[in-house]
Amino acid sequence: MIRLGLRLTLAAGREAVVRLAIIAGATALGVGLLLVTLAGVNAVNSQNARYAWLNTGAAPSSEGQSGDDPVYWHVKADEFQGKTIGRVDVAVTGPRSPTPPGMPKLPDAGQFYASPAMSKLLRSTPSAELAVRYPGKQIGVIGASALPAPNSLIIVVGHAPAELASQPDTSKVTSIATTSPSSCDNRCYDIGINASGIDLVLSVAAGALIFPVLIFIAVATRLSAARREQRFAAMRLVGATPRQISVLSAVESTVAAAIGVALGFGLFFALRPALAPIPFTGAPFYLNDLSLNLPDVLVVALGVPIAAAVTARLALRRVQISPLGVSRRVTPRSPRAYRLIPLLAGLAELWYFARNGRPPTTQGQIQAFMTGFLLTMLGLVIAGPWLTMVGARLLARRTRRPAALIASRRLADNPQAGFRAISGLIVALFVTSVATGVITSIVATTGTAGDRSPKALLVDEFDVLGSERMPQTPVDPALMTRLRAVNGVQGVTELYRSSSPVPQVLTAPAPVVRGNPPPNVQVTGPPPAGQQPPAILASCADLAKTPDLGRCAPGAQTAYVFPHFGRSLRGERTMAQSTWFAADTPVSHLAAMPPATIVVTTDGTAAATERARSLLEAAYPSALVPTTLAEIYDQQITLTKQYQQLADVVILTSLPIAGCSLAVSVVAGLAERKRPFSLLRLAGAPLGVLRRVVALESAVPLLLISAISIGVGFVATKLFLRSQLQQPLVAPGAGYYGIVVLGLAASLGLIASTLPVLRRITGPETARNE
């Protein structure tokens, strides 16, 4: 029977070959996407593991490779033209100090190691803009085993022990950390990847991609289902046993699935070089990171063919009951309203967490939200036939046109068949609505770096540091002179830290939008005891030269400033729109105060910004890295950009797959009903009426369930945003509606493209030969 099954599968004519090719292609697409998802999870974990050594000094000192001689270790993030540089300052105390991966030894004072990308950047950049920050001579290149990504900018700078030991935040370590950032339990620096959060995103994305693919495979396996059932029933009539029919069916499905699995692995390896450079985590992967382990390979290579064989056996249950089961065709049982239960259950789960708060752990959030979204998607598929039936019955009551009556009656009698054709697109529209709704709402709340993120403003903040790291003496006038002498620097403004707190009668003034009438000075009652922040003062003459910092009240010489760099996002008023309270401190007293913030206004060029940044870093090595407002805002929306990229991938992948499902399903439906259509033509039905019947059978459930799917998607998105992010749902922009309209128009176009087939398959010879 196996040999007969192979012959029927591979040598049973053109129809069998086409069916085999389509099923294998659908399986290959699904397997390829599944392998990409599994490899993506492995790549995230591999990349994250190479961040471990950078957490030395934060993770327990007993882990990793240890040495007899301790090392002074200081980790810091640097900035250059919007790129983050990982800087590690070290000071060895002896020849047996621990050594991190990628280097034969730690550099001594006056030496440094740099990653390949960092070495290239140092060579291509003027010394005054970058190299001056890292005194010494490069003695080697950091190997790939220590680099999270091929483009990682990392530098390890050697110092004398006495020099580094006196700097704040320096640790004395005896071993190199080996714990991945996602396993540190808050004992790591803020570097690396939150692998649990990435798992949440990948899990939801995998579900969003796999659902349309599974539907595509299911639709493809039903090609010529009626003809196959008749063939197997005929075999039963001539003596074949149910077991033999099961073997034939399993061979046919398993061969197609096995070919699809092989093609899927080939597709994965062909796409891997193009996928590795995609910075999903914010950095590209090494090619070897996108790898598969043995369990991944076994689950896919064995699981998919087995699942195909099981599916085929279930699909032939009517033939298994009786060899006459195919001939005794009756109207299928109408779907019942209980099909709505999974859909309502998925929304109820999301509503529960929206009302009571998200689970406290990331793993709990993965289980809660992934279950809710997948149950909602599954609920749409399960409820689709019932919704199709309801819509068809409403159409039948309100129409008198022959084509509409035929289409609506057939949909009402067999809504499963009508919905099956458009089920993939319905899921794709749900995914599109959720992805777009989440991203649009996040962007609307966090904002983007636009005209409110000037590149020309370089900020070096000290008032956000701990007391041991804040400067205690006034700024060296020579530093201010060197800053003002940099080509492209247009002004330097200093905010001063007073030893006295803000007067209790003052609070931060409400910012005023430019163009509104000037505000009155606002005076309120004293703030709660113990909450008066240290006063930050500014010269009104300096503020006038830096309009992005706000302005003084008319007639004031000095002012109390309440800076909020990094929080001037969309929907909030910026510092530039603020009028500050007048202070009674004379201008002459400001020069004796230590700095709270130094703001450098440049012409926006990279050269001016980086030269000024290098001077500030050299003057205050223990402070935070001077950063432009544009860089602050870009850092805040980096994760949003990554989610947007993932959403685009999901949308651009799921819609074409759904379109393929629709085209295959419509063609398969026409092929299986060519005899009834031929009889209608012989009875006098015009070809145009039959074409309208076919179009309406697909268009009615398509448009009806699409509207429901989009609505359910936005409801689920609103519940998710309320629970996970405590944010409202913001209506998407025109791009989303363009995608929806384009997707529906393309689907209707696919339906229309199949209509010419009716003329060829509904001739008199079809009715005579069937």
Side-chain angles (χ1 to χ4, degrees):
M1 295 304 294
I2 295 178
R3 183 181 300 176
L4 177 60
L6 291 173
R7 183 171 182 178
L8 291 174
T9 302
L10 302 174
R14 179 179 177 182
E15 180 180 311
V17 173
V18 171
R19 181 174 64 251
L20 178 67
I22 294 178
I23 296 174
T27 305
L29 183 60
V31 168
L33 289 175
L34 180 59
L35 293 176
V36 167
T37 302
L38 294 174
V41 174
N42 295 336
V44 169
N45 292 327
S46 297
Q47 187 180 78
N48 213 24
R50 292 194 296 273
Y51 280 102
W53 71 279
L54 294 172
N55 281 302
T56 300
S61 60
S62 60
E63 57 180 42
Q65 176 194 357
S66 61
D68 296 334
D69 300 317
V71 175
Y72 290 100
W73 189 280
H74 183 269
V75 179
K76 183 178 180 180
D78 201 352
E79 292 285 335
F80 180 81
Q81 296 185 12
K83 302 174 183 178
T84 300
I85 299 173
R87 173 174 179 168
V88 182
D89 294 290
V90 298
V92 298
T93 60
R96 304 183 64 181
S97 297
T99 304
M103 288 169 278
K105 68 181 187 67
L106 286 173
D108 294 322
Q111 301 174 340
F112 67 81
Y113 284 93
S115 64
M118 186 67 188
S119 300
K120 181 178 179 181
L121 186 62
L122 287 170
R123 291 193 302 268
S124 61
T125 305
S127 175
E129 297 178 21
L130 184 62
V132 69
R133 307 178 197 176
Y134 315 113
K137 176 184 178 181
Q138 182 173 355
I139 60 171
V141 176
I142 301 175
S145 60
L147 302 178
N151 64 344
S152 294
L153 299 175
I154 297 178
I155 187 167
V156 180
V157 184
H159 298 267
E163 175 189 358
L164 198 59
S166 61
Q167 291 191 15
D169 298 329
T170 295
S171 302
K172 192 174 183 180
V173 302
T174 57
S175 61
I176 303 300
T178 58
T179 302
S180 172
S182 59
S183 305
C184 280
D185 297 328
N186 297 322
R187 296 172 296 170
C188 292
Y189 299 119
D190 188 18
I191 57 177
I193 309 165
N194 183 351
S196 298
I198 295 294
D199 287 345
L200 171 60
V201 177
L202 283 176
S203 300
V204 176
L209 286 174
I210 293 301
F211 250 79
V213 171
L214 291 179
I215 291 174
F216 185 23
I217 295 175
V219 169
T221 55
R222 290 188 61 85
L223 282 173
S224 303
R227 180 71 60 85
R228 294 165 62 207
E229 289 175 352
Q230 291 175 356
R231 184 180 65 196
F232 289 142
M235 291 180 180
R236 289 290 312 279
L237 287 172
V238 297
T241 65
R243 180 182 181 86
Q244 290 173 326
I245 296 299
S246 297
V247 171
L248 290 176
S249 173
V251 168
E252 183 178 23
S253 300
T254 304
V255 167
I259 295 174
V261 168
L263 293 175
F265 273 93
L267 180 65
F268 164 72
F269 286 108
L271 291 178
R272 200 168 63 139
L275 295 173
I278 298 177
F280 171 65
T281 61
F285 296 116
Y286 285 102
L287 185 61
N288 291 335
D289 290 342
L290 287 168
S291 60
L292 300 170
N293 52 43
L294 183 60
D296 296 336
V297 174
L298 293 178
V299 167
V300 175
L302 299 179
V304 173
I306 292 174
V310 172
T311 302
R313 181 178 179 84
L314 294 176
L316 293 174
R317 59 186 180 277
R318 292 188 300 174
V319 182
Q320 299 291 347
I321 294 172
S322 166
L324 299 178
V326 174
S327 299
R328 297 198 304 267
R329 294 181 183 272
V330 296
T331 301
R333 183 179 179 182
S334 299
R336 303 305 176 95
Y338 67 78
R339 284 176 170 265
L340 293 173
I341 292 177
L343 174 61
L344 297 177
L347 293 176
E349 180 178 357
L350 296 174
W351 174 83
Y352 172 82
F353 291 109
R355 180 179 178 87
N356 299 283
R358 65 185 184 183
T361 64
T362 302
Q363 189 62 35
Q365 294 166 20
I366 293 176
Q367 296 174 355
F369 296 123
M370 185 177 179
T371 302
F373 278 111
L374 294 184
L375 190 58
T376 302
M377 282 193 289
L378 181 62
L380 279 172
V381 176
I382 295 175
W386 184 84
L387 296 171
T388 300
M389 180 191 68
V390 172
R393 289 178 177 177
L394 291 175
L395 177 63
R397 294 173 186 171
R398 296 179 177 272
T399 186
R400 294 295 182 266
R401 295 180 177 274
L405 280 173
I406 296 174
S408 60
R409 290 302 183 188
R410 183 178 183 277
L411 283 174
D413 287 343
N414 190 6
Q416 291 90 341
F419 176 76
R420 188 182 303 123
I422 52 97
S423 56
L425 187 66
I426 296 307
V427 173
L429 286 175
F430 172 83
V431 171
T432 301
S433 300
V434 171
T436 305
V438 170
I439 297 302
T440 301
S441 301
I442 292 176
V443 171
T445 303
T446 59
T448 56
D451 56 357
R452 294 186 177 181
S453 51
K455 299 179 180 179
L457 214 63
L458 181 68
V459 178
D460 198 2
E461 290 188 270
F462 307 113
D463 59 301
V464 297
L465 304 172
S467 58
E468 77 282 356
R469 296 170 60 191
M470 288 192 296
Q472 303 300 319
T473 58
V475 174
D476 186 356
L479 171 63
M480 305 298 281
T481 301
R482 289 195 297 271
L483 284 171
R484 292 188 175 99
V486 172
N487 185 28
V489 170
Q490 299 173 346
V492 182
T493 300
E494 182 180 353
L495 304 182
Y496 303 88
R497 190 176 75 253
S498 174
S499 58
S500 303
V502 175
Q504 295 187 9
V505 296
L506 299 182
T507 59
V512 177
V513 179
R514 290 185 184 275
N516 288 353
N520 297 323
V521 175
Q522 300 180 11
V523 181
T524 66
Q531 295 188 14
Q532 296 86 358
I536 297 178
L537 302 171
S539 164
C540 291
D542 290 341
L543 286 179
K545 301 175 183 177
T546 315
D548 288 300
L549 298 182
R551 65 179 73 84
C552 292
Q557 299 297 314
T558 59
Y560 292 104
V561 179
F562 299 86
H564 48 91
F565 302 109
R567 298 196 304 273
S568 304
L569 303 177
R570 180 178 298 175
E572 298 183 16
R573 292 168 177 169
T574 65
M575 290 178 61
Q577 299 164 327
S578 302
T579 299
W580 305 116
F581 293 109
D584 55 4
T585 304
V587 175
S588 58
H589 290 187
L590 296 179
M593 298 179 181
T597 302
I598 298 176
V599 179
V600 180
T601 304
T602 72
D603 57 5
T605 61
T609 300
E610 299 307 331
R611 288 174 184 267
R613 193 187 333 246
S614 297
L615 289 173
L616 289 170
E617 285 193 35
Y620 299 101
S622 299
L624 298 178
V625 177
T627 311
T628 66
L629 295 192
E631 292 168 346
I632 295 175
Y633 302 148
D634 286 341
Q635 292 169 3
Q636 292 174 334
I637 65 172
T638 295
L639 187 59
T640 302
K641 291 180 179 178
Q642 295 169 12
Y643 288 162
Q644 180 67 68
Q645 292 174 350
L646 181 62
D648 293 341
V649 170
V650 172
I651 292 170
L652 295 177
T653 304
S654 58
L655 283 176
I657 294 172
C660 294
S661 300
L662 177 62
V664 171
S665 183
V666 172
V667 171
L670 288 176
E672 292 181 0
R673 289 186 293 147
K674 58 184 178 181
R675 187 168 186 270
F677 280 142
S678 297
L679 294 175
L680 284 173
R681 285 195 66 187
L682 288 175
L687 186 61
V689 171
L690 298 182
R691 288 174 174 171
R692 286 193 291 273
V693 169
V694 174
L696 287 171
E697 285 179 355
S698 298
V700 169
L702 172 64
L703 299 178
L704 173 65
I705 312 301
S706 293
I708 296 175
S709 177
I710 292 171
V712 170
F714 283 136
V715 170
T717 302
K718 182 176 181 179
L719 296 174
F720 169 77
L721 290 170
R722 180 178 175 183
S723 172
Q724 180 71 7
L725 303 176
Q726 293 79 48
Q727 295 180 191
L729 173 64
V730 177
Y736 164 77
Y737 299 104
I739 291 176
V740 171
V741 171
L742 183 61
L744 293 177
S747 301
L748 295 175
L750 285 173
I751 296 171
S753 68
T754 64
L755 299 182
V757 180
L758 271 175
R759 180 183 296 275
R760 296 197 300 269
I761 68 174
T762 57
E765 67 280 358
T766 301
R768 183 172 57 251
N769 295 332
E770 287 289 336

